Amino acid sequence: MPGLVLFDLDNTLLNRDVAFKLWSALFISKYGLPESAGDTFLAIDADGHTPRDEFFGAVKILFGIEETTESLIEQYHLNYPPCYSVEEMTVKSLRNLRAVGWKIGIITNGPPSQQIKLEVTGITDEFDGICISSVVGFRKPDLAIFQEAAKLCASRLEGWMVGDSATADIGGGQAAGLRTVWMARGRTWDESMPPPDFIVETITDAVAVILTSED
Ligand SMILES: [Mg+2]
């Protein structure tokens, strides 16, 4: 019987790399920075893992921007979420899962503005529940956020976790008793960690794996 499929948001359902590069280009043009600043931003950003005050603190010093870090962060929260878009195949795949009875949810570590990414891409209604760490007070890989996500989806915590982070998504999902699908994004799995059940490159492939797996 179908259960629950939880999806990570950034660089799993939505391509954060594309959105971040788009935001970078807007920022570079606004402040008249050299185009090469984009590579510097990518390096400091570390896939979004660098706290934003550290990120903008470094950007300010490296590029001699006089605005306060607070003001830069405020603008970032306004300008960056609208840079997101969703692939049509992703939406189609989610609907295929739901059509055969799976409950589907989002489980994401991030600020409340994660919700804006869902609104601008128009995918809010595709999910049974949306669980944002800053809203529920727990972060992946903590078991509590997985329990919270299942509750928000009105589901038992049984099924799958799909995500691109080895520790937050795969480690967290395994500890929560879920089967796991890792979005590789061209990377290889670190063999020192317990492997995911499947490794894929796209949401379409992740959904295909779930739909064809035995219970
Ligand atoms: Mg992610």
Side-chain angles (χ1 to χ4, degrees), residues 78-159:
L78 280 179
N79 299 331
Y80 164 66
C83 292
Y84 275 78
S85 57
V86 68
E87 284 173 27
E88 212 175 296
M89 281 306 289
T90 295
V91 176
K92 229 176 171 179
S93 302
L94 293 173
R95 288 181 181 167
N96 288 343
L97 258 185
R98 232 176 164 191
V100 294
W102 289 90
K103 293 238 178 183
I104 61 176
I106 289 176
I107 180 165
T108 174
N109 285 350
S113 60
Q114 291 292 73
Q115 186 76 43
I116 301 173
K117 297 177 185 174
L118 304 178
E119 281 157 21
V120 298
T121 53
I123 58 170
T124 311
D125 293 340
E126 305 292 338
F127 299 91
D128 294 288
I130 290 158
C131 185
I132 301 173
S133 64
S134 58
V135 176
V136 297
F138 305 102
R139 290 173 66 79
K140 293 179 289 186
D142 192 336
L143 172 63
I145 191 173
F146 288 89
Q147 291 168 332
E148 207 58 44
K151 214 186 291 169
L152 288 167
C153 293
S155 169
R156 289 162 294 126
L157 183 52
E158 278 175 29

